[in-house]
Amino acid sequence: RRRRTAGRIENLENRFVLDGGPVISEFMANNDSVLADVDVLIGANIITQNGEAFAATKVRAMAEAAGMKLQPDGAFHYFNDEGADLFSLANLDPTPFSAENIRQLSTHGITFLFDVPRVADGVRVFNQMLMLARQMASSLGGQVVDDNRRPLSDAGIARIKQQLADIYARMEAQQIKSGSARALRLFS
């Protein structure tokens, strides 16, 4: 999944300086295509195998047991000890999770999302997210699939890890460390 970076230059103020380097707007103007290439969300979806919906209360219990917290955006988020948002878990159906609707809600799928440039040590975090997705799929009686609803195979996972390595190499070539304050400002 890719987000749009167009228009970000206009939305940033020229007074911000990146770690003693160029002004953000100047940096983005000179590197917008590189930034667009690395501004990626990676998702892993869990869908029902038998057509029966997952109870949102069960999703909540598993998410909270894994240390995730429901946030105002309607998704559960996993934070590290420093408070950095590592990945999220959202309803694949249109209705976001909320404290008010979770007892009545059921869903035919959930999605884990990982914001590649905003997370430090991304391959490790991706592995952690994938392990949790597999555990939840097993407990829910679901299946881990990609965005095209095809089973996420070991070969597919290997391709994702290679893409992550490529993205992080392109970021490092631009002197942007994933998860750094600089990356958080550029990929907000």
Side-chain angles (χ1 to χ4, degrees), residues 54-61 76 91 97 101-107:
F54 304 136
T57 52
K58 189 167 185 180
V59 172
R60 178 190 65 196
F76 292 90
N91 191 353
F97 295 120
N101 73 5
I102 206 132
R103 288 195 176 113
Q104 297 81 27
L105 189 65
S106 61
T107 182

Side-chain angles (χ1 to χ4, degrees), residues 13 16 18 22 32 51 58 62 65-66 74 84 89 99 102 132 134 138 143 162 166 168 179 184 186:
E13 296 179 289
F16 293 109
L18 296 174
D32 197 46
K58 189 167 185 180
M62 288 188 289
L89 168 64
I102 206 132
L132 181 56
R134 286 177 168 165
S138 177
Q143 182 177 24
Q162 183 58 55
D166 294 345
Y168 291 132
L184 296 178
L186 288 168

Side-chain angles (χ1 to χ4, degrees), residues 92-160:
L92 200 54
D93 293 341
T95 306
F97 295 120
S98 72
E100 295 77 30
N101 73 5
I102 206 132
R103 288 195 176 113
Q104 297 81 27
L105 189 65
S106 61
T107 182
H108 289 88
I110 54 179
T111 187
F112 283 87
L113 288 174
F114 166 64
D115 196 346
V116 175
R118 293 181 57 85
V119 176
D121 198 8
V123 175
R124 182 190 59 76
V125 173
F126 172 74
N127 287 333
Q128 183 180 4
M129 181 185 84
L130 187 60
M131 183 178 72
L132 181 56
R134 286 177 168 165
Q135 289 171 349
M136 288 183 78
S138 177
S139 294
L140 291 168
Q143 182 177 24
V144 180
V145 298
D146 63 19
D147 285 341
N148 297 312
R149 295 187 181 238
R150 290 185 301 237
L152 194 54
S153 66
D154 289 339
I157 292 166
R159 279 191 303 276
I160 291 170

Side-chain angles (χ1 to χ4, degrees), residues 10 39 44 62 68 70 78 81 96 98 103 184:
E10 295 81 16
D39 195 9
M62 288 188 289
M68 300 183 85
L70 183 59
Y78 186 82
D81 292 339
S98 72
R103 288 195 176 113
L184 296 178

Side-chain angles (χ1 to χ4, degrees), residues 31-48:
N31 298 286
D32 197 46
S33 65
V34 172
L35 297 178
D37 288 344
V38 301
D39 195 9
V40 175
L41 290 170
I42 293 180
N45 305 300
I46 302 173
I47 59 171
T48 60

